[in-house]
Every structure is written in C-alpha cells, then in structure tokens.
Amino acid sequence: MSTPDITVSGGAGGIDARYTDIERLGHLYGDLGGRLAGQAWDDKLEAADGDLLASAILSPGTFASAEGAILDATYGPRGLVARAVVLEAESFCFVAVVEIYRTADDLRHAAIESLSYGLGFIVGVDLPGVLLTGAVVYGGLRLGGMSNEDLVAFLEDHPELAETLVNGGGGLLDGMSVNPLTGPLMGLLGLDGFHPDTGSAADDLGDLLFGDYHGTLNPDYTPPDDFHLGSPTSVQGLMDNLGTVNDLEDGVISVQQVVGPDGTVRWIVDLPGTDHFMDEHAIRNMGSNMNLIAGDDTAYAEAIQQAMQAAGVSPGDPVMLVGHSQGGMQAAALAADPDFPYHVTHVVTAGAPIATSGIPDHVQVLSLENSADLVPHTDGEPNPATAHHTTVTADLPHGSFAGDHDLGTYAQIGAAVDGSDDPSVQAALGSMHDFLTGQPGQLGTQTFQTEQGDQIRPADLPLLDLMP
C-alpha cells in the first residue's frame, strides 16, 4: 500500500498556535513591565533610607552621587521605569496585533458565510428554472446533464463546490420560500422560516423527515466467534480496527480497554458511521446526520453512553473516541457535550464533517480527510485550525463516492500520518502515545449493538409515507 502525500493544518505548528504564542509573549512582557515598575518604586525608596540620609552630613559629595545613581537607575532615561514603559508598550502591541489578525479571520469567515447564504438564496429563488434548464454552471462548465462518472470526477477535483453549496443550504430553503412556485409548498412543509446557517436548515429537514428516538442496546447481541481487535499501535491501526468494527452488524460499536506504560487505564471507543441513509428505524441514518449537523441529541449518543457504562468505563478514565463519517460527527459531539459523563481527552475522525462541533480546547483532535471525499465538506466549512485540532488531508480520488469515503482509503492516510515529521502531526501523535503503547486491559474489547428505543417525537412528514 503506497503512502500518499499529505497536507497539514492546525495543531501545535499551525497559525493559531503561533497566535497563542505571540499573545502569551505579550502577556509575559506586560507582567515583566509591571514587576519592573514595582521594583523601580521599591528602589526609589532607597533614596530615602535613613542611613543614606544620615551620611549626607559626613560625605555630601558621595551622598549626592548615590542619590543621583538611584534616581537614574529607577526614573532615568535608561532606568527601570523607562524599560517598564517600553515593555508595557510592546506587550500592548503583541496582544493588539493578534487581536487584529483574529478579527480579520472572523470577518473573512463572516463574509464567506454571507456569500454562501446569498448564493444558496439565489439558487433557491431560481430553482424551478435551474431544474428545467440544468443551468448550474461552475468554472465554465454546465453541471446539468453530466454523466455520473463525469460528475464524480468533477466533484473530486472541486470539493470546494460541495462545501459552498452545503454552507448555503439555509439560503437555498429561504430562496425557495420566496419563490412563487415553491413558496406555498415550503409553507405547507413548515420550511418557510429563516435559516441563517446549515445547522438550522438541517434541523428543520430532520424534523420533517425523521422522528426522534431514545437509544438503547440489544441485549442479545454477540460478536462473531472469530472477532478480534488488537491494541492499536498507530493511527493506521486505529483505522484498521475501526474498519473491523464497521464490518460487523448494523449499529455495532466497540469499547476497548488499554493499560498504558504509566499503569493508567484508558479506553478507545470505535464508532462506525451511517448504516442506512433513508431507513427511519436505523439508529445510524440520515436523520442522525441531520441532528448532528444541527447540534441536537441523537439516539446513537444515548446508546454509546450506555455501552461505555456497561463496559466498565469510569468517569475519570481517559477516553479516545475514534469515528468514521457519522461516527466521527458523534465522537465530536460527545466531546463537546458538557453533560457527557466521561473524560474524553482525544478524538480521531476519518471523513467526518466536524468543523462546527465546538470541541473544547482541552480535547486533542486529529482529523483525517480525503480531499476527493465529499462527506467531510458537508458541514459547509473547513475545520478550525486551532492548536488542539490537527487536520491531515490527502488527495486520493477513486472515481466513486463510496471509494473516496471508504475506511481503507483512510487507513492509507493514517499510514502517512504515522510516517510524517510535520510538527503538528508529531505533537498530535505524542499526545496519543499512551493510548498507542498500551497493553490490553483485563476487560479487553467489548462490543455492543446500539439500536433505537422508544420514540420521542414522530416525523412531521414520515419518510415512509413518501416511499412507494
């Protein structure tokens, strides 16, 4: 298996980490300036020392020299106060420059969000004409009428198109709502509200087509007799293990206990992705994807928590969540959930759209993405390039949506990560060291089949009613 070339964003070597370093340096300068100013005041008091003042009678000349030296060292042009002023000014400049850069980044992001919404709105308003004429044009090419093979190849070469279109999903619904032909239908479906972002659009579509359910575990599930999951020693090993679990029955996850070199018990939880897109009764379906994009709870999350409790995970044990596609989205959502009762320290995702998950800074995140895979782009924006989130991207087109998204493809990217000397990758691997050098724990690997439980809310327009 060849190792692909990779590009890396974020992480310890990324620009946001450098912003943080500059900001930290600015605060250190400010602290030092304050301490120098305080020292200058303390040293100035030496000029009023009783013994020194008494010496003025005996030696006026040396007294005057000593007084002058003290004042020059404290409040003179090269004294402590002057140095303190310079340091305070430099501190302000460092912090201000970082704030300017971050504000510029935020403004750029807001501009892209607005443009994406506007593009979606325009397409929504003109959608009947677009559908009739096939008039979607991108890069000088008319997308309507393309063969499936040509469309796949085009999207593999232009993944930013999928990202832009998804990011304009809210605008698309709003544009359709004001179109005279589609507006009445949008009103009947309850989709005529304001959708400022992809999450709000996914929320309404999810409510329309899919019901909400509790999650539970199948008490009768047992894994195949030949099932075995070794302790992973690399990122490629994490992907291989995830693929092994993915090949089991629908809804199955694994909870693996490892004991690190320091004797600490750790856990690796493998979370495969979508099983059936349009089956409302599958726990990993399109409804769960929409809930995750919208930031809502899922049956999958509830069942995962039950599985971890049944496996014997203690609240304080370090946990690594490893997920592919929807499994990666769910891993990110659990790590970001302040009510999740387990200590998630690491998240590793493969082909998962998690840019908007809001994972806190104390969780280390490693995201593997294939630029030809459309799925990581379905959150509408790139992953945050923060110091705690490292994204590794390779270009591995296979000529099919399934091949681009396959876990075997991500095992190849994992192998490239293992062999990389990039500073951000090395820092990410270093933080995962104790998970990847551990031995199987006494509880070993346990598998659980997650499934839907009782219904919480029916779909507004049940998908089954739309099926022939």
Side-chain angles (χ1 to χ4, degrees):
M1 180 177 63
S2 60
T3 302
D5 294 331
I6 59 174
T7 58
V8 181
S9 65
I15 187 65
D16 193 73
R18 297 190 181 112
Y19 284 172
T20 302
D21 289 341
I22 295 172
E23 193 172 41
R24 187 180 296 115
L25 181 62
H27 290 309
L28 287 174
Y29 269 44
D31 181 62
L32 180 59
R35 284 192 288 168
L36 284 179
Q39 188 64 48
W41 175 256
D42 292 341
D43 289 347
K44 180 188 175 185
L45 294 179
E46 293 295 325
D49 180 77
D51 292 337
L52 182 60
L53 293 175
S55 71
I57 300 174
L58 301 174
S59 180
T62 56
F63 167 75
S65 297
E67 287 282 299
I70 291 172
L71 292 175
D72 185 60
T74 52
Y75 287 88
R78 292 181 299 276
L80 292 177
V81 170
R83 294 178 184 274
V85 169
V86 171
L87 286 172
E88 292 280 6
E90 290 176 340
S91 167
F92 174 80
C93 289
F94 281 137
V95 175
V97 165
V98 169
E99 191 61 33
I100 290 171
Y101 279 139
R102 283 181 170 155
T103 300
D105 289 344
D106 291 342
L107 290 173
R108 181 181 64 85
H109 179 263
I112 292 173
E113 292 287 299
S114 298
L115 288 172
S116 297
Y117 178 89
L119 174 63
F121 187 88
I122 291 170
V123 172
V125 170
D126 293 334
L127 189 60
V130 169
L131 293 177
L132 287 173
T133 64
V136 176
V137 177
Y138 186 84
L141 293 176
R142 183 182 294 271
L143 302 187
M146 270 190 172
S147 68
N148 184 62
E149 291 78 10
D150 289 342
L151 181 60
V152 170
F154 182 81
L155 291 175
E156 285 180 337
D157 291 337
H158 300 280
E160 74 282 355
L161 175 59
E163 196 168 277
T164 301
L165 291 176
V166 170
N167 205 22
L172 176 67
L173 293 185
D174 293 350
M176 293 175 65
S177 295
V178 301
N179 184 288
L181 294 178
T182 55
L185 176 62
M186 298 296 284
L188 288 173
L189 296 177
L191 297 176
D192 54 346
F194 177 51
H195 303 93
D197 51 36
T198 304
S200 58
D203 196 17
D204 278 0
L205 286 172
D207 288 349
L208 178 69
L209 299 174
F210 296 90
D212 291 329
Y213 294 83
H214 285 293
T216 188
L217 301 176
N218 177 6
D220 299 322
Y221 174 76
T222 56
D225 292 338
D226 60 351
F227 173 75
H228 173 72
L229 215 59
S231 297
T233 59
S234 62
V235 177
Q236 182 182 359
L238 289 173
M239 294 297 103
D240 289 339
N241 278 2
L242 184 57
T244 299
V245 178
N246 185 67
D247 291 339
L248 299 175
E249 295 181 35
D250 292 350
V252 173
I253 68 172
S254 70
V255 183
Q256 185 176 35
Q257 185 187 56
V258 294
V259 180
D262 58 356
T264 300
V265 172
R266 294 177 171 82
W267 301 84
I268 301 174
V269 182
D270 287 319
L271 305 175
T274 308
D275 294 316
H276 301 284
F277 279 98
M278 308 312 287
D279 183 353
E280 184 178 355
H281 300 299
I283 192 169
R284 298 191 295 225
N285 61 11
M286 194 61 188
S288 295
N289 286 321
M290 290 183 175
N291 282 343
L292 287 164
I293 293 174
D296 296 335
D297 294 334
T298 66
Y300 195 20
E302 186 176 356
I304 290 167
Q305 183 172 327
Q306 293 173 21
M308 293 176 67
Q309 181 179 4
V313 182
S314 296
D317 293 343
V319 173
M320 173 188 286
L321 300 176
V322 184
H324 173 237
S325 194
Q326 182 184 135
M329 297 168 68
Q330 189 63 78
L334 290 173
D337 184 357
D339 296 325
F340 188 58
Y342 295 106
H343 179 43
V344 179
T345 61
H346 291 76
V347 170
V348 180
T349 67
I354 64 168
T356 60
S357 298
I359 302 174
D361 291 350
H362 66 268
V363 179
Q364 293 296 315
V365 185
L366 175 63
S367 291
L368 310 185
E369 296 190 354
N370 175 15
S371 61
D373 181 7
L374 294 183
V375 175
H377 300 284
T378 54
D379 50 7
E381 54 189 270
N383 290 336
T386 57
H388 77 285
H389 193 157
T390 304
T391 300
V392 178
T393 305
D395 185 29
L396 293 172
H398 289 75
S400 71
F401 295 133
D404 294 339
H405 192 54
D406 188 75
L407 266 168
T409 299
Y410 284 100
Q412 287 183 262
I413 301 175
V417 169
D418 294 326
S420 174
D421 59 0
D422 180 89
S424 290
V425 171
Q426 285 295 306
L429 292 175
S431 74
M432 297 161 55
H433 175 267
D434 290 336
F435 283 97
L436 301 180
T437 55
Q439 298 299 315
Q442 187 175 14
L443 296 178
T445 299
Q446 302 171 68
T447 56
F448 302 88
Q449 187 172 37
T450 64
E451 58 184 16
Q452 287 183 349
D454 295 335
Q455 188 179 68
I456 301 172
R457 178 197 61 80
D460 296 337
L461 181 64
L463 190 62
L464 293 176
D465 290 352
L466 303 178
M467 305 296 284

